[in-house]
């Protein structure tokens, strides 16, 4: 599937919307309590750590994510994105892999 956001799971679209508004609490609410985010060779484990990661990243880099393509299989959503913000090399193309559990994000790997 490509660029058909209406079929992307609600937790993923809610996370992207909240992150693009720099809403750390809203973004964190999209994750399971023991979720893991892997970004820049660091792991952020649990909702409080994920909220702090979104908050710090938002303040420092002001990132905005735009989906360019999406593939879904079972409980995994693979998404190619374009990220713009206040960082060297902006914009960059990244790959997000979301793993879902009980309607929430259990893991997010950013590469």
């Amino acid at each position: 599937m490509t660029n058909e956001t209406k079929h992307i799971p609600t937790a993923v679209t809610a996370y992207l919307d909240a992150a693009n508004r720099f809403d750390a609490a809203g973004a964190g609410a999209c994750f399971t309590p023991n979720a893991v985010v892997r970004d820049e060779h660091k792991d952020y484990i649990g909702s409080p750590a994920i909220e702090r990661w979104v908050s710090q990243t938002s303040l420092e880099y002001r990132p905005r994510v735009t989906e360019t393509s999406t593939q879904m299989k079972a409980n995994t959503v693979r998404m190619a994105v374009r990220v713009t913000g206040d960082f060297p090399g902006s914009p960059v193309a990244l790959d997000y892999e979301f793993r879902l559990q009980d309607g929430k994000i259990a893991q997010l790997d950013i590469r």
Side-chain angles (χ1 to χ4, degrees), residues 27-75:
C30 300
F31 290 84
T32 62
N34 296 315
V36 177
V37 171
R38 292 191 171 111
D39 182 34
E40 296 184 333
H41 308 292
K42 294 180 186 171
D43 289 352
Y44 303 90
I45 302 169
S47 297
I50 292 168
E51 285 185 34
R52 284 190 301 276
W53 166 73
V54 172
S55 180
Q56 180 180 9
T57 301
S58 295
L59 287 171
E60 190 170 347
Y61 301 115
R62 307 300 287 176
R64 295 206 181 258
V65 176
T66 304
E67 173 216 4
T68 57
S69 69
T70 300
Q71 297 176 341
M72 295 188 305
K73 183 176 183 182
N75 290 325

